[in-house]
Amino acid sequence: MAKKRKVVDAAAAAVAALEEAEPPRKRTLLGRKENGYHQTDDEVANKPVFRNKEKVLVLCSRRITFRYRHLMMDVMALLPHSKKDVKVQAKDNKSSTLNELTDLKGCSSCLLFECRKKKDLYMWLSKSPNGPSAKFLLKAVHTMEELKLTGNHLKGARAILSFSGEFDQHPHLQLLKELLTQVFCTPKDHRKSKPFFDHIFTFSVLDNHIWFRNYQVSLPAGVTDKLEKQAMEKTTLIEVGPRFCMNPIKIFSGSFGGQTLYENPFYVSPNTERSRDKRKKAGKYAKKVKAKQRRKAHLDINQTEPSELANVWDEA
């Protein structure tokens, strides 16, 4: 026991010698400071404090279908920092009306779902009042009620945003990445949000479209505390929903209008696609009519001689 005490005393003496040689310093966000250092009142007052007060106004246009309205409600449930408002007229001046509504609600962004012909759904992402803004055509829409997936996460929890590598390769995708980040990212310490992460928003670029998915972060069974770095590989992702695909149309410099910064050269409007389908069907019907006419002309030219026994039973 005496030998062990000597070893411990020698170690304590070595630590004390190091502390005397180099006095300890306090580690702060701005670097290491001496223990006797204290910020003055002027330094504290002049220090800028950033607080994310991002709020998103979510609303839709009139004559929206029930499926698209359910999609809007699902998106609002995923964004605890969102605010809702009544429907707006699709033909109104969006730049003035929606910017005024956004200002009255105290929001800095606007998410508008616009339905046309009860078939096509467009989505506007806008930073009010100075812009920029982007217009998308939504395809492959699947709401939470339609999917019936097994994933689940707590309502109001903050989400981790995941973007594919294509967002850093093109300037217009970089702008869309920043716009999507500011709209879909829940501010820290928001009063309606939970202080932890349990799901992930993924934005992937494929075939010139942006695909949105929502996944739950599932931990191994029986784990309640924080995982170590080695055990992070055991976590799995379970899709929750909803799903939709965004086809970018245009990016404007202002809010709901202004100078066009980007226009998608691969975009085809739904009206053009429907007209193409009608032309194909019309061409198929025209081919059938021409085939019947050719068959009739062929029979008229190549007539067969009547059979001798054709009218035997009629005479009897």
Side-chain angles (χ1 to χ4, degrees):
M1 295 297 293
K3 292 183 180 180
K4 291 184 179 179
R5 287 178 181 175
K6 288 182 180 180
V7 173
V8 173
D9 294 341
V15 172
L18 291 174
E19 290 179 353
E20 292 178 358
E22 183 179 357
R25 294 180 297 174
K26 185 179 179 180
R27 185 174 182 179
T28 63
L29 294 176
L30 301 178
R32 292 185 178 274
K33 302 294 183 181
E34 301 295 338
N35 282 338
Y37 175 78
H38 296 284
Q39 289 184 345
T40 61
D41 295 338
D42 295 338
E43 292 178 353
V44 174
N46 296 330
K47 183 179 179 180
V49 178
F50 173 75
R51 185 178 179 183
N52 189 359
K53 297 183 179 180
E54 184 75 28
K55 296 179 184 178
V56 183
L57 178 65
V58 182
L59 70 167
C60 64
S61 63
R62 293 187 179 275
R63 299 181 181 86
I64 191 172
T65 60
F66 70 97
R67 290 186 66 251
Y68 298 153
R69 186 175 65 254
H70 290 173
L71 176 66
M72 183 189 68
M73 299 302 293
D74 293 341
V75 173
M76 288 182 59
L78 296 177
L79 305 178
H81 60 291
S82 63
K83 290 187 177 182
K84 62 181 180 179
D85 203 347
V86 296
K87 300 177 182 178
V88 296
Q89 287 286 354
K91 295 182 180 180
D92 291 345
N93 188 5
K94 299 182 181 64
S95 179
S96 60
T97 305
L98 294 178
N99 288 335
E100 184 177 358
L101 287 174
T102 306
D103 188 19
L104 290 175
K105 288 289 183 177
C107 301
S108 57
S109 303
C110 183
L111 181 61
L112 172 66
F113 292 91
E114 183 179 359
C115 183
R116 296 182 181 178
K117 296 186 177 180
K118 295 185 178 180
K119 300 178 181 179
D120 309 325
L121 180 63
Y122 297 89
M123 185 178 72
W124 284 84
L125 288 178
S126 176
K127 297 294 295 181
S128 179
N130 299 323
S133 59
K135 184 179 181 182
F136 303 90
L137 173 66
L138 296 191
K139 297 181 178 179
V141 173
H142 299 281
T143 61
M144 298 283 287
E145 296 182 357
E146 297 174 351
L147 292 174
K148 302 293 184 182
L149 296 173
T150 58
N152 189 16
H153 60 80
L154 189 64
K155 183 178 180 180
R158 301 180 67 193
I160 300 174
L161 271 63
S162 174
F163 294 90
S164 61
E166 289 81 2
F167 279 93
D168 298 328
Q169 298 178 1
H170 304 283
H172 68 281
L173 291 178
Q174 294 177 2
L175 180 58
L176 290 178
K177 178 181 178 180
E178 183 64 27
L179 189 61
L180 292 170
T181 301
Q182 295 188 21
V183 172
F184 284 90
C185 184
T186 304
K188 185 180 179 181
D189 299 331
H190 192 271
R191 60 186 182 88
K192 292 185 179 180
S193 66
K194 304 299 185 295
F196 51 84
F197 301 90
D198 64 348
H199 61 116
I200 299 176
F201 293 159
T202 61
F203 298 91
S204 306
V205 178
L206 181 64
D207 296 334
N208 300 315
H209 291 64
I210 301 175
W211 301 79
F212 173 82
R213 294 292 185 270
N214 181 24
Y215 294 99
Q216 173 199 357
V217 180
S218 179
L219 300 177
V223 176
T224 57
D225 297 334
K226 293 183 178 180
L227 290 177
E228 298 179 357
K229 293 183 178 180
Q230 298 177 355
M232 290 298 291
E233 298 179 356
K234 299 180 181 179
T235 59
T236 57
L237 298 179
I238 305 174
E239 187 174 357
V240 182
R243 295 178 180 175
F244 55 88
C245 172
M246 297 181 290
N247 185 13
I249 303 174
K250 287 184 179 181
I251 301 176
F252 302 96
S253 60
S255 179
F256 296 101
Q259 183 181 1
T260 302
L261 302 178
Y262 170 77
E263 184 174 0
N264 188 4
F266 305 101
Y267 170 72
V268 180
S269 65
N271 294 330
T272 306
E273 293 181 353
R274 284 191 287 265
S275 63
R276 288 179 181 176
D277 296 338
K278 289 182 180 179
R279 289 172 188 171
K280 290 180 181 179
K281 293 179 181 179
K284 189 182 295 185
Y285 175 74
K287 289 180 181 179
K288 289 183 180 180
V289 173
K290 290 181 180 179
K292 289 181 179 180
Q293 293 177 355
R294 287 196 301 268
R295 179 63 178 170
K296 185 177 181 181
H298 177 75
L299 293 176
D300 293 341
I301 295 172
N302 302 310
Q303 292 183 356
T304 58
E305 296 179 358
S307 177
E308 296 178 356
L309 303 176
N311 299 324
V312 171
W313 303 107
D314 294 341
E315 293 177 357

